[in-house]
């Protein structure tokens, strides 16, 4: 039993980081001055900088350590164990931006090459050395497989991304090991061939830029190469796995978008499950949650039989303080896991089964003959057997590896093997001399060999056989039911059904969009728009009782508002007609917007079909959400000084101007064509004015109304102060 070897590496300081912010350091234990390689990481406490935490590992490498030093000290010794039959697992762990991919993959230059290229290079050199030392008796083959775990789905990196399936590859258990079903495994004969495949596969790996890392890995990458050593009849197989884990991310610092957030959630979940597995192993729990994530199921810490090396990547700066402490605690628990270092046993080559030598009375094996070629032999054997009085001979030989025994010995064995039952009557002595009669074929089935067959007889027999075969085929074809062709109507319906099934998700998403828009309109107090959106959403959710209740509530609310507005409008027009009949117009009427009147809308308000004055709108009617209350506009903001002055001039003691008189004549003519010529009057507004003049708006008993002043014109439905002003301004050019 051996533990997992944990190696810590502190990445170099970046150009954007300051030296005063470096808080992680490497050192040796106190009192150990002989150790050349540091084995302890020191970091201050997050709450108290004077308190120093110390974590001891197998080796610790500071910022000045190179790729070559780490490989020579930690990875190179595992190669000899790989060729001795042990499985080797190497994985890099750490938060995002700590240099895991640089440690495993490295750069393009020779000095910056990572662990994986150096490991394959040393493996190929050792393969050539073993083959040379053995004089060609031992051959070594290497096969490569490379895949990634992206959003908890396994994808083959040696295949093109276009060939990927949405669900990815499946995992299965085989002899205590987890295997990937359908994974590509390609043999690599040389280092150059490996580098070509490796570079091509890395292009297919999922990477993206975040705020903390310009080339952040968005998946866990697993490179496996199988070493097969063949010596004579023995074959030894061992596997090395190099795993580049994606780093955990704090989305408050990375500023990830929607797609990056999904990837980050999947990465953090798998690393959290890995921490749970390590915690369960350290506490000796009976259940280890390996199957909660595909990454932990493949890694299987504590279950794999071989050597395991963990490279802990750390960032030295203060901005990673909490993440660094968390990674150190995880590595401290991981180093206590015990791993069974079991050597893979060599297997024998599959050899052919030896055939026993048949001598004496045994019969050599022969293939079974078809019945068509054995008819003549069967007939001759039957004829000879009938002459000797024995059973007819068989038309084929039975396979048997045992020598055939004589008939006397067979009968004796049969007599010995018989068991007498106490319930049966003993047979007579004379009965033993009689044997059971043999079965004989019926005379009609025995084919008598003809002495000689003429050529014509043979042709007739062949023709009869061919006719029988053709008749049998014709019967088979007629008995088969004809395949019914699908009509065009049925095909069209099937296509519509498939489109409907494919569009279910889109329909639901569209319905949710309408519900969101309705909620936004309701919060802003736009009840008509909210009702319209609710009605559109009802088509996608027809059986939703809550939605039906909201629609009913909004319809009732809008009806109450409409009735209140119409009631206030009738009251205002009636008051204006009574003032004209008396012939006395109070000058204070022109200043109505300045008074605190609590009814209806003001005479000089702008014309707006969707807006009504706040005087008759209660707080309960305008409540569309628990957090929204209607706030009425101040009376000071509702003043229209321009329109008020115009109306005040027209209602004075001065006589009507020609422009005002012409405007009133056009309105009282009830001619829709003349009304539409006025500025600011369209088809709907002209119809509304004519409807009001015909008794539908303020007239008693349906009598037509005659407009005698601009104030009375402003009381009509659809006409406001601004509309009256536009009408008068438009007549200026005609006079």
């Amino acid at each position: 039993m051996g533990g997992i070897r944990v190696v810590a590496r502190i990445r170099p300081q970046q150009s954007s980081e300051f030296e005063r912010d470096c808080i992680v350091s490497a050192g040796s234990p106190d009192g150990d001055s002989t150790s050349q390689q540091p084995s302890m990481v020191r970091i201050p406490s997050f709450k108290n900088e004077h308190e120093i935490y110390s974590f001891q590992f197998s080796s610790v490498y500071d910022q000045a350590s190179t790729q070559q030093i780490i490989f020579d000290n930690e990875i190179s010794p595992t190669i000899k164990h790989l060729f001795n039959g042990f499985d080797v697992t190497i994985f890099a762990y750490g938060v995002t931006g700590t240099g895991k991919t640089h440690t495993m993959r490295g750069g393009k230059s020779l000095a910056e090459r990572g662990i994986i290229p150096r490991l394959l290079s040393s493996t190929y050199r050792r393969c050539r050395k073993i083959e040379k030392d053995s004089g060609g008796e031992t051959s070594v083959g290497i096969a490569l497989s490379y895949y990634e775990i992206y959003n908890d789905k396994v994808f083959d990196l040696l295949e093109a991304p276009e060939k990927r399936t949405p669900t990815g590859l499946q995992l299965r258990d085989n002899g205590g090991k987890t295997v990937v079903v359908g994974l590509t495994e390609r043999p690599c004969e040389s280092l150059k061939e490996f580098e070509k495949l490796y570079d091509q596969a890395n292009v297919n790996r999922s990477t993206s830029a975040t705020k903390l890392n310009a080339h952040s890995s968005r998946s866990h990458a697993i490179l496996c190469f199988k070493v097969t050593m063949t010596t004579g009849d023995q074959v030894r197989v061992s596997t090395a796995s190099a795993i580049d884990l994606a780093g955990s991310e704090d989305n408050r610092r990375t500023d990830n978008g929607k797609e990056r957030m999904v990837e980050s959630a999947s990465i953090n979940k798998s690393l959290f499950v890995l921490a749970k597995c390590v915690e369960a192993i350290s506490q000796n729990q009976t259940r280890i949650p390996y199957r909660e994530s595909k990454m932990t199921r493949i890694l299987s810490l504590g279950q794999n039989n071989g050597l395991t090396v963990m490279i802990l990547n750390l960032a030295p700066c203060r901005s990673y303080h909490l993440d660094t402490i968390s990674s150190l605690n995880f590595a401290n628990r991981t180093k206590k896991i015990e791993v069974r270092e079991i050597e893979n046993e060599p297997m024998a080559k599959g050899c052919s089964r030896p055939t026993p030598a048949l001598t004496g009375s045994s019969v050599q094996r022969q293939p079974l003959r078809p019945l068509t070629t054995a008819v003549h032999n069967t007939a001759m054997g039957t004829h000879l057997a009938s002459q000797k009085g024995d059973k007819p001979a068989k038309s084929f030989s039975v396979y048997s590896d045992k020598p055939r025994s004589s008939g006397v010995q067979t009968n004796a064995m049969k007599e010995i093997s018989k068991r007498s039952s106490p319930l049966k009557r003993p047979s007579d002595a004379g009965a033993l001399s009689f044997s059971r009669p043999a079965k004989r074929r019926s005379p009609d089935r025995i084919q008598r060999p003809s002495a000689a067959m003429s050529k014509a007889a043979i042709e007739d027999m062949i023709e009869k056989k061919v006719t029988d075969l053709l008749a049998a085929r014709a019967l088979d074809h007629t008995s088969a039911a004809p395949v019914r062709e699908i009509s065009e109507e049925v095909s069209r319906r099937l296509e519509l059904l498939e489109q409907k099934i494919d569009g279910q998700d889109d329909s639901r998403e569209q319905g949710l969009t309408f519900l969101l828009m309705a909620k936004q309109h309701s919060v802003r107090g736009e009840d008509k728009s909210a009702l319209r959106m609710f009605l559109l959403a009802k088509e996608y959710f027809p059986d939703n009782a809550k939605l039906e209740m909201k629609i009913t509530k909004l319809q009732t609310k809008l009806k109450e508002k409409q009735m209140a507005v119409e009631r206030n409008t009738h009251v205002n027009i009636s008051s204006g007609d009574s003032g004209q009949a008396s012939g006395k117009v109070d000058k204070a009427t022109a200043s109505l917007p300045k008074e605190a009147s609590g009814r209806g809308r003001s005479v000089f308000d702008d014309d707006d079909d969707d807006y009504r004055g706040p005087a008759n709108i209660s707080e309960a009617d305008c409540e569309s959400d628990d957090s929204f209350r209607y706030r009425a506009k101040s009376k000071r903001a509702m003043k229209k000084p321009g329109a008020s002055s115009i109306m005040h001039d027209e209602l004075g003691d001065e006589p009507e101007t020609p422009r005002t008189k012409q405007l009133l004549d056009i309105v009282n003519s009830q001619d829709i064509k003349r009304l539409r010529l006025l500025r600011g009057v369209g088809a709907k507004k002209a119809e509304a004015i004519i409807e009001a003049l015909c008794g539908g708006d303020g007239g008693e008993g349906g009598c037509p109304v005659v407009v005698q002043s601009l104030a009375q014109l402003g009381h009509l439905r659809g006409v406001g102060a601004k509309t009256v002003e536009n009408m008068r301004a438009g007549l200026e050019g005609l006079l």
Side-chain angles (χ1 to χ4, degrees), residues 51 66 155 351 459 602:
E51 182 181 0
T66 61
F155 297 107
C351 55
E459 291 179 355
S602 174

Side-chain angles (χ1 to χ4, degrees), residues 422-597:
L423 300 178
K424 290 184 177 180
R425 288 169 47 189
S427 59
D428 297 335
L432 294 174
S433 60
F434 295 99
S435 61
R436 186 178 178 182
K439 292 182 179 180
R440 294 183 180 180
R441 294 189 180 184
S442 58
D444 56 344
R445 293 187 181 181
I446 299 176
Q447 297 181 1
R448 300 290 180 181
S450 58
M453 294 183 68
S454 63
K455 185 176 180 181
I458 293 174
E459 291 179 355
D460 292 341
M461 186 174 63
I462 293 174
E463 185 178 358
K464 183 179 179 182
K465 289 287 184 183
V466 171
T467 306
D468 294 342
L469 288 174
L470 292 176
R473 280 187 191 175
L475 289 175
D476 292 341
H477 283 295
T478 54
S479 61
V483 180
R484 294 182 58 187
E485 295 184 358
I486 301 176
S487 62
E488 295 182 359
E489 181 68 20
V490 175
S491 301
R492 186 178 60 82
R493 290 186 179 181
L494 288 175
E495 291 178 0
L496 292 176
L497 183 60
E498 291 178 357
Q499 294 175 4
K500 184 177 180 182
I501 293 173
D502 295 339
Q504 280 181 355
D505 296 338
D506 298 337
S507 301
R508 179 177 177 81
E509 184 178 354
Q510 186 67 24
L512 293 175
T513 304
F514 285 138
L515 287 176
L516 178 60
M517 294 172 65
K519 186 70 174 177
Q520 293 174 350
H521 285 301
S522 182
V523 168
R524 292 196 294 265
E526 301 171 356
D527 295 336
K528 285 186 178 180
S529 301
L531 178 60
R532 191 181 304 112
M533 292 298 106
F534 277 132
L535 290 174
L536 290 175
K538 184 181 177 182
E539 298 177 1
Y540 301 96
F541 307 102
D543 299 329
N544 195 320
K546 190 174 180 181
L547 182 59
E548 293 282 352
M549 186 175 64
K550 286 186 178 181
I551 292 174
T552 306
K553 184 178 178 181
L554 272 177
Q555 288 176 346
T556 306
K557 183 177 176 181
L558 288 173
K559 285 182 181 179
E560 292 177 356
K561 283 186 179 181
Q562 186 67 23
M563 291 173 63
V565 169
E566 290 178 358
R567 188 164 49 252
N568 293 336
T569 305
H570 284 298
V571 171
N572 290 337
I573 293 178
S574 301
S575 61
D577 292 341
S578 61
Q580 288 294 332
S582 60
K584 298 179 180 180
V585 180
D586 191 0
K587 291 184 179 182
T589 308
S591 62
L592 276 175
K594 301 179 181 179
E595 298 175 1
S597 131

